């Protein structure tokens, strides 16, 4: 069926116009700046995939990042892992297991590099300061000598499972153990 059955003509026309403007603008920027390399956040976004495409077309190496937490259903329903490194020469992924997921989805292993989570680099800066660990533990209320478990959640709308049940299980597991538990919600929650 026609896309116009589901999308108003206004949105179709202006979306196509906006996409064309972005492609022309990005290409003009590449022509003027003549970069040696282009870095994009990730290729699972229309705008950054467009820039990665133009980078590829212009023979300029492109480096992209892993979009976020890899979910099996995203590969099944949208082929997100398969299409996440179409134009990039190198994709920075968070872990060996993430790398394996991308390889299983068809991304060549030579295009993948395990780097960890680059957006957490602020912690690397903190780690270079004396006493940062002790100060951080004090701010969290973690007793000295206690082990620490952190449960860092994705957006609750993306959480796979029962959030309440998971918290209850963690609290019950922690009870009576010399372990401190910290729950970290996603910044958008």
């Amino acid at each position: 069926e026609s896309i116009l059955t589901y999308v108003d003509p206004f949105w179709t026309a202006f979306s196509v116009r906006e996409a064309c403007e972005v492609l022309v603008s990005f290409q003009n920027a590449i022509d003027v700046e003549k970069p040696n390399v282009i870095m994009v956040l990730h290729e699972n976004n229309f705008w950054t995939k467009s820039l990665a495409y133009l980078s590829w077309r212009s023979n300029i190496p492109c480096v992209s990042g892993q979009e976020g937490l890899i979910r099996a259903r995203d590969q099944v329903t949208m082929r997100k892992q398969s299409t996440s490194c179409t134009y990039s020469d190198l994709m920075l992924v968070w872990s060996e297991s993430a790398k394996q997921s991308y390889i299983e989805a068809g991304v060549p292993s030579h295009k993948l590099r395990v780097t960890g989570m680059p957006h957490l680099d602020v912690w690397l800066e903190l780690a270079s300061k004396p006493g940062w660990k002790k100060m951080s533990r004090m701010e969290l209320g973690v007793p000295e000598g206690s082990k620490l478990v952190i449960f860092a959640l994705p957006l609750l709308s993306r959480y796979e499972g029962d959030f309440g049940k998971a918290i209850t299980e963690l609290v019950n597991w922690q009870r009576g153990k010399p372990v401190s538990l910290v729950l970290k919600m996603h910044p958008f929650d």
Side-chain angles (χ1 to χ4, degrees), residues 63-121:
V63 178
S64 63
Q66 173 180 329
E67 178 187 11
L69 188 63
I70 294 177
R71 298 180 310 165
R73 74 176 178 201
D74 289 343
Q75 173 60 17
V76 171
T77 60
M78 296 179 279
R79 295 182 26 86
K80 272 187 140 181
Q81 284 85 341
S82 298
T83 60
S84 61
C85 196
T86 306
Y87 303 111
S88 297
D89 296 277
L90 182 65
M91 185 166 75
L92 310 177
V93 298
W94 297 1
S95 64
E96 288 294 337
S97 64
K99 180 180 178 180
Q100 192 56 44
S101 291
Y102 284 106
I103 290 170
E104 290 169 9
V107 176
S109 61
H110 73 273
K111 285 186 155 193
L112 301 167
R113 190 78 23 83
V114 177
T115 59
M117 299 169 82
H119 62 282
L120 297 179
D121 284 353

Side-chain angles (χ1 to χ4, degrees), residues 22-23 26-27 30 49-58:
V22 163
L23 288 169
F26 282 167
Q27 187 61 60
I30 289 170
K49 187 176 270 312
S50 300
L51 183 52
Y53 166 74
L54 292 173
S55 161
W56 170 80
R57 198 178 80 181
S58 300

